[in-house]
Amino acid sequence: MSKNTTSPTLSAQKSAVYYRLIRNLRRVTLYVLMILAVLWATLPLIWVFISSIRPDAETYAFHQTFFPQHPTFENYATLFRVTRFGLWMRNSAILSTATTLIVIALSAMAAYAMSRFRYRIFEVFGRMTLLAYMMPPIILVVPLFFILFKLHLTNSMIGLTLVYIGTRLPVGIWMLRSYFQGIPKELEDAAMVDGTTRFQAFYKVILPQAMPGMIATGIFVFSVTWQEFLFASILIFSATRTTLSAGVATFLSEDWIYSWGVLMAAGVMISLPLVLFYIFLQRYLIAGWGGGGLKG
Amino acid sequence: MKRLLAFLMLLTLLLVLAACAPSNSGDVVEKVVTKEVVKEVVKEVVVTPTPGPETGPRTLTFFTTEADPPQLDILSEIIDEYHKDHPDVYIDVVTGTPATRGERITTLLAAGADAGIFEIEASFSRDWAEAGYLLPLDDVFAAIGGTDEYVPGSYYQLEDTVYALPYATSVYGLWYRKDLFAEAGLQPPTNYDELLAAAQALTDPSQGIYGISIPGSTNASVNFFSTFLWQQCLDYYTPQGDLTFDQPAALDAIKKWVALTRYAPPGFENYSWGDQITAFITGKAAMSVYAGRLGVRMPDQAPQLEDKADIVRLPWATKADSPYVTYGSWSRIAISANTKYPETAKDFLQFVLSGDRLARYDATVIGHMVPPTKSVAKMLENWDSDYARQHSDWLAFFNENAAYTNHPANNMGSIEGCEFNKKDYGPPWGGPIFSKGGIIDLMFQQIYVGGTDPETAWQDAVAQMKDVQDEWLAAHPDWQPPTY
Amino acid sequence: MTTTTRRLWSFIKARWSQNGSGRMARNDYRLAIMMISPAILLVLVFAMLPMLQGLYASFFQVESATLKMTFNGLDNYVWLLTKPLFWQSFWRSILWVVGTTVFQFVLGIGIALLLHQELKGRNIARGMVLFPYLIPAIVLSLTWRFILDPTMGIFNRMLMDFGLVSRPVAFLSKPHTALLFVIAAGIWKYTPFVVMMILARLQVIPLELEEAAKLDGASSWQLFRYITWPWLLPVVIVTLLLRTIWTFRQFDIVYLFSFGGPLFGTTTLPVLVRYLAFDAQQIGPAAATATAMLVMLLLMSWGYFVLYNRAEENLS
């Protein structure tokens, strides 16, 4: 560290202390930064939770206290009692799961085909998916309404699922295509020499290899579908068939909030499944993104 | 496996083909991109579905913006009762916010789809009735009791045909804090000068209390300001549709209204009517203009205010002969002319809008939802709830003042001179002027947020109002002003 | 268009039943087509067809009540380009995209590098930092609206308690501060996505390179500048591409946050499309705006692809 020292041993000692100090300081700073980052990400959510267990009378008090004086789960009870929250949750779960599974299945097949065979039409399709992928959903919503009307699928969960699949597929294909490209061709060639057909090779050899990528794609598709608001709010209108985001939006209007406490409870309940789902599958996620997904 | 795959693929293909291609063509790629198909889709969409036989299982949709959970709760109770008597009939409740109501119903009606039974926005009533989108409801109207039962002007009628039936109206008043007024040695205001003085005296930012909350967002201004304008002996139009908002007195009214906002809580420029309630309920505003819903929130959200709050008439008067007018509009329900089961829909509508069903429904926000029929009003007078017993004076206030309600989009030229004479005819070009985010709302946003001076903003607004009217008149050369 | 598709179709049919280049190729071809066609079909019907309809409608005057269409050529585009509202929304969109993405990347790369260090509890921290990404737009908007509310929000309360302001500030009622906070919310929600992508890439960094550089006595800055950064660059560019596209077309957060107001202060292009289509009942101009957005998106992505290819080349 310091160049002009007279005694080499002393300087070595000194610099060791100095080095340790710097090292410790650096570590402490890193820990502080890490805690700050975590707080930055979670504080608003903690506030949502705190607000959700605060009784209405305290929420609307002149001097609101930071922590609720009489914490209660009353808001949650109200949420499930007077709205169709449970039903919306079920609808969202069905829709998101169906969309995710179908998108993974179809995009895995398409991505595999596109990564293994070079035909002109695939190139055309590849470019088309890119286009579809970039399309702002707001462009699609009015024409989609009329297409679904024509198919007798307005106000139907099947219709909404089809729309979700159609608009999520490009992302799925885009993510998985490069993933499949990363899997060496020799693997299936070897399997096919042993007499299996190409399709068998695909689902027995290649799919297991691509599992992390498919799970990452699945998490992604599931979470964006679970969160989706625009399509759900316009293509579905029955209170019994709507999804969480669109359902909750009916009592979060521009003019009027029924009760902040109940809304906050709804916020917690919408986010929770996603957070749990994610905690459960987290290790696949990072591996999947890293292992080639989303590259070029 | 491969065979299974092929089968699955074929199935998907068939499904989509069967659904989307009108002719049996395998040439999907081609069909999809040709313009003809696009046109075809649009064309076929506008075909009216034919009414089916009204037997067997039937599902009706019921669209409402009254999405407060307790209201929905009672509504489903009423639906269950109906379903018990009519096991074949299912009612599908559809909720929306007032902001999305327009786009949703418009899209449905334009598509020729069955919009079912739905709450109708007053400003659309005429267009839709004229376009033939609405089912005539004369028989339901008569069955419920006709003109003997209904308050005049509560239902929507076009050329002797009733197209929409009311379930409630709200009536605005001035909520104020008795305790704060007493502390300051003030009486509740009865005119503009007293009001301004009180607002000033009660504003104390160091305590976090502000005199009066004036909502300024793009979905609130017009309703609140209109009451002020009317009490200045002014209206936007004459009964014949000639613009009167361009008179200098209108500018004066705007300036007086804006002067009140000096004592409004920070953020008032973004207040919608919901925030109007919140400001009062949280104790941050000493006065707040609103209808009955504000009181109904108190037991849950601010029990300590229940005996400290009271309501009086809107004290906007600046002259001795100012007319008393307040804001109120009838919420109405109509049935889509394209509905599959018109008779069933009418029967259900009659069920909901009469007897104790309507009473129970209106009682969910008692005082805020003033009923349109005499018999239901009677039922609500002695309603069995703590709130109704404790605040019978408030409920009486709303009932008494329902006669003084007026609405800028539904009542054109109700104020002539200093006389209030309600006209049941709205300016047909009024949509872009009086709807949410319309010309009047934006004028106030320009003043509050954009920093434009009132005079410039008013001149802009007047110019736009003229344009809108001229454009409409040019498109409707046959229009004749109503005669009274 | 039609002739191209017809040619394409006959080409597909020919390949389907070809005999020339052998059974194997034909079987492969059939399999490939079978595997890809459900996806093609669904994308065509539910993404491409509505897009084409939108494009088509942008050349028409559409009556909103009856949906009667009258051809009016480029009138919608002319109307649009002469409207200040369009240009204001355009610049607001640019500000929203640049503002959110720049901070997302600065914060995201920083946090990713931090969480790549050997620290105790970093796995938990990694998990928790990603939470905002999982919060649906509707929850995000209502959370932030609640926090920023001048009457009941905790943010104003804290500012007042610390004596920073004497009366509550209505952040969402001024066009500029409203946009600022929408941008802040966008940064908050999507920084985790950047963290995720960068962390994934950091985990597969070739250790030999780092070791070698350390042996050569490289400082941490040099290590970052010459080893880590070039390794991250391709992912940074891809992520940048994704984020830019998504941010540019983002509707829900911006809309649910302040519904485009006050005074159109948060009206970005997608919100403008909604406003034109539903509030102003101008379906033609709405479609034209949407088409303009699509063109801009295509230009942007083309630019990134050029950059991406260059970054990949530098790496190898």
Side-chain angles (χ1 to χ4, degrees):
Chain A
M1 290 282 129
S2 46
K3 278 178 191 164
N4 52 346
T5 42
T6 40
S7 156
T9 46
L10 190 70
S11 109
Q13 252 175 0
K14 234 174 147 182
S15 81
V17 171
Y18 186 64
Y19 183 68
R20 207 179 301 152
L21 198 75
I22 293 275
R23 225 178 101 90
N24 282 343
L25 205 69
R26 185 171 166 267
R27 286 199 79 75
V28 169
T29 321
L30 286 179
Y31 275 110
V32 169
L33 284 176
M34 187 170 87
I35 290 167
L36 277 180
V38 170
L39 284 181
W40 170 79
T42 51
L43 264 187
L45 304 177
I46 294 172
W47 186 245
V48 172
F49 178 72
I50 291 177
S51 307
S52 76
I53 56 170
R54 193 193 300 275
D56 252 11
E58 283 183 37
T59 303
Y60 290 91
F62 187 80
H63 286 296
Q64 206 186 68
T65 50
F66 191 84
F67 290 106
Q69 301 298 295
H70 306 281
T72 163
F73 283 93
E74 191 54 41
N75 289 325
Y76 291 84
T78 312
L79 179 68
F80 279 93
R81 191 182 68 240
V82 296
T83 75
R84 314 227 179 158
F85 200 81
L87 195 63
W88 298 339
M89 209 158 197
R90 197 201 66 166
N91 291 347
S92 275
I94 294 175
L95 264 171
S96 311
T97 313
T99 305
T100 308
L101 293 179
I102 298 175
V103 165
I104 292 187
L106 295 186
S107 56
M109 290 196 298
Y112 173 79
M114 286 165 78
S115 71
R116 286 299 183 267
F117 310 109
R118 306 238 160 255
Y119 300 116
R120 274 287 291 284
I121 178 174
F122 291 178
E123 237 162 78
V124 174
F125 182 60
R127 245 171 261 159
M128 197 173 82
T129 55
L130 192 63
L131 188 70
Y133 178 40
M134 281 190 290
M135 224 150 7
I138 188 85
I139 300 181
L140 306 181
V141 73
V142 174
L144 269 177
F145 181 88
F146 288 100
I147 292 174
L148 289 185
F149 183 76
K150 182 94 167 76
L151 302 176
H152 302 289
L153 286 174
T154 39
N155 195 18
S156 120
M157 280 171 64
I158 294 179
L160 188 60
T161 312
L162 284 173
V163 169
Y164 281 156
I165 295 170
T167 47
R168 306 287 183 256
L169 264 175
V171 194
I173 293 171
W174 194 236
M175 280 172 78
L176 284 177
R177 188 181 171 185
S178 51
Y179 206 91
F180 281 117
Q181 267 162 4
I183 298 172
K185 239 183 153 156
E186 293 75 34
L187 268 177
E188 71 216 80
D189 287 344
M192 278 161 68
V193 168
D194 293 346
T196 52
T197 66
R198 186 177 273 279
F199 190 73
Q200 281 169 331
F202 164 67
Y203 83 95
K204 279 189 183 149
V205 180
I206 301 299
L207 277 193
Q209 286 286 319
M211 211 31 118
M214 281 160 59
I215 290 179
T217 312
I219 295 179
F220 179 80
V221 171
F222 188 89
S223 80
V224 291
T225 309
W226 183 269
Q227 301 183 19
E228 208 281 332
F229 163 73
L230 181 68
F231 288 153
S233 70
I234 293 184
L235 301 180
I236 295 274
F237 21 97
S238 293
T240 49
R241 288 177 214 164
T242 200
T243 64
L244 277 175
S245 286
V248 169
T250 56
F251 58 97
L252 160 81
S253 78
E254 212 172 323
D255 326 276
W256 161 243
I257 303 289
Y258 169 64
S259 152
W260 276 111
V262 173
L263 258 186
M264 291 294 137
V268 171
M269 292 309 294
I270 302 177
S271 313
L272 204 62
L274 221 48
V275 170
L276 290 177
F277 180 70
Y278 156 79
I279 289 174
F280 197 62
L281 292 170
Q282 186 198 357
R283 58 202 176 98
Y284 295 103
L285 191 62
I286 299 257
W289 295 99
L294 281 181
K295 268 192 285 176
Chain B
M1 191 64 199
K2 197 169 165 183
R3 213 174 285 162
L4 179 74
L5 181 80
F7 174 72
L8 271 176
M9 217 196 67
L10 205 74
L11 207 72
T12 338
L13 224 132
L14 280 175
L15 247 164
V16 179
L17 274 180
C20 76
S23 54
N24 56 334
S25 159
D27 202 347
V28 195
V29 186
E30 187 151 324
K31 267 285 172 199
V32 156
V33 286
T34 46
K35 287 177 181 174
E36 285 66 38
V37 175
V38 181
K39 245 189 237 161
E40 220 167 90
V41 169
V42 174
K43 224 187 296 158
E44 288 192 21
V45 143
V46 200
V47 168
T48 317
T50 43
E54 303 205 18
T55 50
R58 284 151 283 170
T59 303
L60 304 174
T61 56
F62 186 93
F63 178 90
T64 174
T65 60
E66 304 280 355
D68 256 19
Q71 280 169 297
L72 287 177
D73 214 22
I74 291 285
L75 185 62
S76 47
E77 213 179 280
I78 296 170
I79 287 171
D80 287 346
E81 285 161 29
Y82 187 79
H83 183 64
K84 211 172 274 168
D85 291 346
H86 306 80
D88 278 350
V89 181
Y90 299 87
I91 314 288
D92 191 3
V93 175
V94 179
T95 50
T97 62
T100 56
R101 162 170 60 185
E103 65 200 45
R104 196 170 268 180
I105 301 286
T106 312
T107 326
L108 277 174
L109 291 175
D114 176 5
I117 307 167
F118 60 94
E119 214 185 287
I120 184 167
E121 206 161 340
S123 47
F124 288 134
S125 309
R126 169 182 301 272
D127 282 354
W128 290 354
E130 279 175 353
Y133 288 162
L134 308 179
L135 195 69
L137 298 177
D138 294 308
D139 37 353
V140 183
F141 176 70
I144 293 178
T147 45
D148 293 343
E149 265 286 277
Y150 277 103
V151 173
S154 60
Y155 44 91
Y156 181 74
Q157 198 171 16
L158 183 72
E159 284 150 16
D160 297 330
T161 306
V162 174
Y163 286 103
L165 290 173
Y167 60 88
T169 184
S170 48
V171 179
Y172 282 19
L174 181 76
W175 291 92
Y176 74 101
R177 286 274 298 276
K178 286 190 284 188
D179 56 331
L180 296 177
F181 271 75
E183 265 171 46
L186 293 165
Q187 292 296 315
T190 56
N191 62 41
Y192 179 74
D193 293 330
E194 286 174 27
L195 173 78
L196 198 65
Q200 186 176 10
L202 294 170
T203 300
D204 185 358
S206 67
Q207 295 294 308
I209 295 180
Y210 298 86
I212 181 166
S213 101
I214 297 287
S217 87
T218 46
N219 47 29
S221 274
V222 66
N223 301 346
F224 291 78
F225 168 72
S226 295
T227 61
F228 192 84
L229 183 76
W230 296 325
Q231 289 198 26
Q232 313 307 310
C233 304
L234 267 174
D235 207 331
Y236 298 98
Y237 296 100
T238 65
Q240 285 69 43
D242 299 317
L243 187 71
T244 49
F245 192 62
D246 56 353
Q247 293 170 12
L251 176 60
D252 195 46
I254 295 168
K255 282 180 179 163
K256 285 195 168 117
W257 180 253
V258 172
L260 281 174
T261 62
R262 254 180 284 160
Y263 312 109
F268 78 91
E269 62 273 23
N270 216 17
Y271 274 18
S272 65
W273 50 269
D275 304 294
Q276 186 75 351
I277 300 177
T278 307
F280 192 82
I281 290 283
T282 52
K284 311 239 156 110
M287 293 179 270
S288 194
V289 185
Y290 200 58
R293 192 186 292 271
L294 194 154
V296 178
R297 300 312 306 155
M298 277 185 211
D300 279 346
Q301 295 180 338
Q304 75 284 358
L305 288 186
E306 264 193 279
D307 50 355
K308 290 183 192 155
D310 206 352
I311 187 166
V312 290
R313 285 178 151 202
L314 297 175
W316 308 141
T318 51
K319 301 175 191 163
D321 56 350
S322 290
Y324 186 70
V325 193
T326 186
Y327 171 86
S329 87
W330 288 98
S331 305
R332 299 177 181 133
I333 301 181
I335 300 177
S336 162
N338 271 339
T339 197
K340 233 171 157 182
Y341 311 108
E343 293 310 317
T344 316
K346 282 199 262 184
D347 189 57
F348 175 72
L349 189 64
Q350 187 183 332
F351 182 78
V352 175
L353 291 184
S354 58
D356 73 307
R357 277 88 51 190
L358 186 61
R360 274 184 290 153
Y361 188 63
D362 283 349
T364 51
V365 204
I366 193 163
H368 187 80
M369 297 175 72
V370 179
T373 57
K374 284 170 194 156
S375 56
V376 173
K378 194 147 251 156
M379 286 182 217
L380 285 185
E381 258 168 40
N382 301 305
W383 198 249
D384 184 27
S385 81
D386 288 344
Y387 181 84
R389 272 189 295 274
Q390 257 166 16
H391 303 291
S392 53
D393 50 334
W394 295 351
L395 301 184
F397 173 88
F398 297 118
N399 282 330
E400 282 158 23
N401 285 290
Y404 302 96
T405 56
N406 198 40
H407 191 283
N410 307 344
N411 311 109
M412 180 168 77
S414 298
I415 316 293
E416 276 184 291
C418 285
E419 295 284 313
F420 171 50
N421 219 327
K422 194 164 173 173
K423 304 284 188 296
D424 280 320
Y425 185 93
W429 53 84
I433 300 170
F434 302 116
S435 59
K436 284 179 222 312
I439 292 171
I440 302 291
D441 280 339
L442 279 177
M443 174 182 78
F444 281 105
Q445 281 274 300
Q446 287 292 356
I447 297 171
Y448 300 147
V449 181
T452 314
D453 69 290
E455 187 161 359
T456 316
W458 166 68
Q459 281 165 348
D460 282 356
V462 166
Q464 289 178 47
M465 284 167 83
K466 282 183 179 149
D467 285 351
V468 166
Q469 187 175 0
D470 291 346
E471 211 171 286
W472 190 89
L473 288 174
H476 301 79
D478 301 336
W479 181 75
Q480 288 296 318
T483 46
Y484 297 100
Chain C
M1 194 79 184
T2 322
T3 46
T4 325
T5 45
R6 190 169 293 144
R7 216 174 290 156
L8 202 68
W9 183 239
S10 48
F11 172 75
I12 295 170
K13 274 196 287 202
R15 288 295 291 266
W16 185 269
S17 47
Q18 68 169 316
N19 290 312
S21 48
R23 255 180 97 82
M24 183 75 179
R26 198 187 67 193
N27 281 347
D28 270 1
Y29 186 74
R30 283 187 172 181
L31 178 70
I33 289 289
M34 276 203 285
M35 286 174 94
I36 205 170
S37 46
I40 292 190
L41 211 58
L42 285 162
V43 172
L44 273 178
V45 174
F46 294 105
M48 299 312 282
L49 178 62
M51 187 200 69
L52 291 173
Q53 287 194 354
L55 259 170
Y56 180 70
S58 75
F59 300 104
F60 286 79
Q61 189 197 338
V62 187
E63 237 167 83
S64 63
T66 52
L67 290 179
K68 216 179 75 196
M69 294 169 87
T70 355
F71 184 74
N72 69 354
L74 291 175
D75 281 8
N76 290 328
Y77 292 90
V78 173
W79 185 89
L80 202 67
L81 296 178
T82 52
K83 281 275 164 190
L85 186 60
F86 172 79
W87 290 107
Q88 284 158 6
S89 310
F90 170 75
W91 289 113
R92 226 173 270 125
S93 271
I94 301 285
L95 197 65
W96 150 254
V97 170
V98 172
T100 39
T101 35
V102 165
F103 281 97
Q104 272 168 33
F105 274 83
V106 172
L107 279 170
I109 295 175
I111 293 174
L113 288 172
L114 180 72
L115 294 180
H116 189 57
Q117 307 290 325
E118 295 289 338
L119 297 172
K120 277 199 190 99
R122 78 167 180 190
N123 279 342
I124 298 174
R126 275 184 191 173
M128 289 173 84
V129 161
L130 299 194
F131 279 0
Y133 184 60
L134 301 170
I135 303 306
I138 182 130
V139 179
L140 175 106
S141 309
L142 72 90
T143 303
W144 283 88
R145 272 166 69 186
F146 185 53
I147 288 174
L148 296 172
D149 192 282
T151 323
M152 0 196 11
I154 180 79
F155 191 60
N156 267 303
R157 188 54 204 295
M158 288 192 327
L159 289 180
M160 303 240 300
D161 285 353
F162 292 131
L164 293 172
V165 294
S166 62
R167 47 191 287 172
V169 185
F171 296 103
L172 297 184
S173 1
K174 298 275 180 289
H176 290 111
T177 46
L179 186 62
L180 200 72
F181 277 95
V182 176
I183 291 176
I187 296 170
W188 185 72
K189 180 162 160 75
Y190 289 108
T191 300
F193 180 80
V194 180
V195 174
M196 203 150 63
M197 300 291 285
I198 302 288
L199 259 183
R201 181 75 169 182
L202 280 173
Q203 281 177 347
V204 287
I205 200 164
L207 286 173
E208 325 81 71
L209 274 178
E210 249 180 62
E211 295 299 322
K214 270 186 195 161
L215 282 180
D216 287 348
S219 70
S220 358
W221 166 250
Q222 285 170 326
L223 208 66
F224 176 75
R225 174 68 187 79
Y226 295 106
I227 307 292
T228 319
W229 179 247
W231 176 252
L232 291 182
L233 199 58
V235 165
V236 168
I237 288 173
V238 172
T239 316
L240 204 59
L241 165 72
L242 294 175
R243 287 297 343 133
T244 312
I245 292 174
W246 284 336
T247 314
F248 189 69
R249 58 178 226 188
Q250 185 98 43
F251 170 77
D252 43 10
I253 292 186
V254 189
Y255 180 69
L256 291 169
F257 212 87
S258 47
F259 306 101
L263 278 185
F264 299 102
T266 54
T267 300
T268 55
L269 287 175
V271 180
L272 180 69
V273 175
R274 188 213 158 271
Y275 170 79
L276 289 174
F278 293 123
D279 290 347
Q281 311 264 323
Q282 306 262 22
I283 296 180
T289 313
T291 311
M293 277 181 68
L294 197 62
V295 172
M296 293 175 212
L297 280 165
L298 285 173
L299 284 176
M300 271 187 249
S301 57
W302 175 74
Y304 278 118
F305 271 112
V306 171
L307 278 179
Y308 176 78
N309 288 336
R310 203 173 294 162
E312 280 278 80
E313 275 163 29
N314 283 348
L315 203 62
S316 53

